Amino acid sequence: MTSNQQRAALQRQIWQIANDVRGAVDGWDFKQYVLGALFYRFISENFASYLEGGDDSIHYAEFSDKVIPSEIKDDAIKTKGYFIYPSQLFANVAASANTNESLNTDLARIFSAIESSANGYPSERDIKGLFADFDTTSNRLGNTVADKNTRLAAVLKGVAGLDFGEFEDSHIDLFGDAYEFLISNYAANAGKSGGEFFTPQHVSKLIAQLAMHKQTSVNKIYDPACGSGSLLLQAKKHFDNHLIEEGFFGQEINHTTYNLARMNMFLHNINYDKFNIQLGNTLIAPHFGDEKPFDAIVSNPPYSVKWIGADDPTLINDDRFAPAGVLAPKSKADFAFVLHALSYLSSKGRAAIVCFPGIFYRGGAEQKIRQYLVDNNYVETVISLAPNLFFGTTIAVNILVLSKHKTDTKTQFIDASGLFKKETNNNILTDAHIEQIMQAFDSKTDVEHFAKSATFEAIAANDYNLSVSSYVEAKNDREVVDITALNAEITRIVARQTELRTQIDAIVADLEGQSA
């Protein structure tokens, strides 16, 4: 089965699950149950596979809970970060789901047991609360226990029916594709911005390649507004595992999305000791100060959100913001995220950040921050993308690439606004589009109407405007008109009109003479 076939099959099956519970669970809430069930199935299969050790004669799901030695449990938690008894495995629970009259409370108990199995172990923080949004006793599932169980059984049976072999051997990113499909179908209806939580995989691929371009290894990769972790995982997907030596780091302010990011790490076989996802406000309560610097930073922070800014007088002395001498406006925190990322970036690394285009040309504090970035030669490239690439917004965003190891003082501008393929309700970047952008980024060669490197002096003279359109001339698709030939044609037409008028006047005069 090809990746497109797998993706289409996944979408059909998810839609069927949705139909089975339609009318009871709001689409946005339903998303959490499908993703939670996917996660539950994955960690169950992954854990059973670990204990079976590749021996086809061993079937962990058939074991009795009572025969599991305590030392096996201890070793498994230290290695995998959690423990699941045979009776708690997804396969066993799903098999009896339709007839289990206490399914909802059994699931709640199992999820609590999996989380608490890590208590007192190094993985405790990484496991705690993972199932918090999979609330099996919520009235959102129905008013009666029977209603709750019916809908939970439908979700479990639907997820159990996904047949793509081993999760890690699938041609597609099951979790990412499921999330993307659910976001695209439910974000608008739920009145919530999916783009705030999810960066489409094709855009994530470009950002990961920009941040890690030509780096043979990075110490670790970091996303200061990690959402569901899609950007971090694109780095893993498109580069050899050994390239990222110390793991994946991220911070997320939304609790639900923070849980999804941690789930996503496990779903991609990133063990608890190889990722560190923290909950909190990156701008005012940042984590990982002791972990910096990072060789690769990727981010799609929320666009132009409000923050405390100058209302907190201590922030101007913060190591992240002090060098610029000014704080990002309170109504637009975009450059606060940029300066935060820059301060966490190593001398050999790159940061690739999705940005709202207005920050590249507006005046005031944002202009002063641009001047700081340009004067210190941190801006490597600004890329303008096509509109409607993200869920929940149609704006044409930019990607800002920061570097602390530039070999010249020029800044590159790439106009990729014409690179897109229309697909369903959104545009996408194809692999060919990404390759075209990366070739221009790598070579730094000027390409007419596509890429241009501007000198420091030119940017300074332009009031530190970093808009791509200010440096890359747009292609003129209007028809070229030969003015001389046009004038000659107009003269011919006017002469012919005069001739026709003369003839008409003569005919009219003749008619009038006959009538007299």
Side-chain angles (χ1 to χ4, degrees):
M1 190 182 290
T2 67
S3 59
N4 285 338
Q5 289 172 329
Q6 284 189 346
R7 189 171 290 110
L10 173 69
Q11 293 177 357
R12 285 195 303 271
Q13 287 168 290
I14 290 176
W15 199 244
Q16 184 57 52
I17 302 171
N19 287 334
D20 289 342
V21 298
R22 187 181 299 279
V25 183
D26 174 79
W28 196 256
D29 296 326
F30 166 74
K31 170 179 62 67
Q32 303 305 126
Y33 290 103
V34 173
L35 295 174
L38 268 173
F39 175 66
Y40 176 34
R41 175 182 164 180
F42 171 81
I43 63 168
S44 292
E45 293 180 2
N46 186 272
F47 187 80
S49 177
Y50 162 73
L51 285 187
E52 289 165 1
D55 188 337
D56 293 338
S57 66
I58 300 175
H59 303 284
Y60 181 65
E62 298 174 1
F63 284 22
S64 166
D65 292 357
K66 298 177 181 179
V67 304
I68 308 298
S70 59
E71 58 270 21
I72 293 292
K73 180 178 180 181
D74 181 69
D75 181 70
I77 298 172
K78 289 177 180 176
T79 303
K80 301 301 293 181
Y82 57 90
F83 191 85
I84 305 177
Y85 282 102
S87 66
Q88 299 170 338
L89 292 172
F90 174 90
N92 287 332
V93 175
S96 61
N98 287 335
T99 57
N100 185 353
E101 295 181 356
S102 59
L103 177 63
N104 68 324
T105 53
D106 283 352
L107 281 172
R109 177 180 49 78
I110 289 170
F111 295 159
S112 176
I114 294 173
E115 290 183 11
S116 62
S117 71
N119 289 350
Y121 288 85
S123 59
E124 179 177 352
R125 187 194 57 80
D126 298 303
I127 304 297
K128 186 176 182 180
L130 274 174
F131 290 98
D133 294 297
F134 197 153
D135 186 355
T136 63
T137 61
S138 171
N139 285 336
R140 292 177 298 178
L141 287 167
N143 292 323
T144 69
V145 171
D147 287 341
K148 293 180 176 67
N149 289 340
T150 297
R151 281 151 196 146
L152 285 170
V155 173
L156 292 179
K157 288 293 186 180
V159 169
L162 299 176
D163 183 18
F164 299 134
E166 299 293 329
F167 273 78
E168 57 266 32
D169 294 335
S170 176
H171 291 297
I172 61 174
D173 173 1
L174 273 174
F175 193 70
D177 277 31
Y179 191 21
E180 190 165 333
F181 177 71
L182 289 162
I183 288 283
S184 64
N185 278 278
Y186 289 123
N189 294 336
K192 301 179 183 181
S193 171
E196 180 183 351
F197 303 137
F198 188 77
T199 305
Q201 295 177 49
H202 51 94
V203 181
S204 298
K205 182 177 180 180
L206 172 61
I207 294 168
Q209 291 193 25
L210 288 166
M212 302 183 70
H213 182 62
K214 283 190 173 178
Q215 297 204 65
T216 56
S217 67
V218 299
N219 61 352
K220 44 203 162 188
I221 187 166
Y222 168 58
D223 186 343
C226 68
S228 64
S230 58
L231 279 170
L232 293 171
L233 291 165
Q234 280 297 328
K236 177 183 185 294
K237 185 175 182 179
H238 294 287
F239 301 92
D240 293 334
N241 288 339
H242 71 270
L243 189 69
I244 303 170
E245 297 167 351
E246 299 176 42
F248 303 79
F249 295 76
Q251 184 165 345
E252 171 56 34
I253 194 171
N254 180 283
H255 194 278
T256 295
T257 322
Y258 157 73
N259 283 337
L260 288 174
R262 292 188 297 155
M263 287 184 184
N264 224 346
M265 296 295 132
F266 283 108
L267 278 163
H268 287 80
N269 261 339
I270 300 175
N271 216 34
Y272 74 92
D273 57 345
K274 284 297 184 181
F275 75 82
N276 192 340
I277 307 296
Q278 295 282 348
L279 177 67
N281 187 322
T282 295
L283 298 183
I284 62 174
H287 289 275
F288 310 123
D290 294 334
E291 294 285 349
K292 65 179 183 180
F294 295 85
D295 290 342
I297 296 177
V298 292
S299 193
N300 178 18
Y303 310 140
S304 300
V305 296
K306 295 178 181 179
W307 75 306
I308 191 169
D311 285 347
D312 182 350
T314 66
L315 285 175
I316 194 59
N317 297 316
D318 191 298
D319 290 343
R320 299 169 296 164
F321 312 124
V326 64
L327 295 172
K330 290 189 296 181
S331 60
K332 304 174 183 69
D334 308 73
F335 266 127
F337 283 104
V338 170
L339 291 174
H340 170 87
L342 179 66
S343 72
Y344 275 48
L345 187 63
S346 75
S347 59
K348 61 166 279 193
R350 281 192 180 92
I353 308 167
V354 180
C355 297
F356 184 79
I359 71 170
F360 294 106
Y361 59 79
R362 292 191 294 238
E366 291 178 318
Q367 181 186 32
K368 292 178 181 177
I369 295 173
R370 292 197 305 271
Q371 179 175 351
Y372 161 73
L373 295 173
V374 173
D375 285 354
N376 287 276
N377 204 30
Y378 291 137
V379 183
E380 181 174 2
T381 302
V382 181
I383 304 169
S384 63
L385 297 180
N388 204 30
L389 290 174
F390 293 79
F391 302 117
T393 179
T394 60
I395 61 173
V397 301
N398 291 0
I399 298 177
L400 173 65
V401 183
L402 301 175
S403 171
K404 293 182 178 179
H405 61 273
K406 288 173 62 181
T407 57
D408 61 32
T409 59
K410 290 184 176 181
T411 296
Q412 182 189 40
F413 297 89
I414 298 176
D415 182 0
S417 59
L419 300 183
F420 64 91
K421 176 185 176 184
K422 181 69 176 176
E423 189 170 279
T424 61
N425 296 324
N426 284 82
N427 296 327
I428 66 165
L429 291 173
T430 66
D431 286 347
H433 295 148
I434 294 172
E435 177 63 23
Q436 185 176 345
I437 294 170
M438 291 306 302
Q439 285 180 354
F441 177 74
D442 176 60
S443 68
K444 297 296 189 291
T445 303
D446 289 353
V447 179
E448 189 176 16
H449 308 307
F450 185 68
K452 174 77 174 178
S453 290
T455 64
F456 164 77
E457 291 78 13
I459 295 173
N462 196 21
D463 294 328
Y464 294 93
N465 186 320
L466 292 178
S467 294
V468 173
S469 60
S470 296
Y471 303 94
V472 180
E473 183 181 0
K475 187 175 183 179
N476 188 349
D477 292 325
R478 292 176 297 179
E479 182 182 356
V480 177
V481 178
D482 186 330
I483 299 300
T484 302
L486 179 63
N487 285 334
E489 179 66 12
I490 292 172
T491 300
R492 186 190 67 77
I493 293 172
V494 170
R496 178 61 177 155
Q497 286 177 332
T498 302
E499 181 183 347
L500 290 172
R501 286 195 184 102
T502 300
Q503 293 175 356
I504 292 170
D505 288 344
I507 293 171
V508 171
D510 183 54
L511 291 173
E512 288 176 345
Q514 292 178 11
S515 62

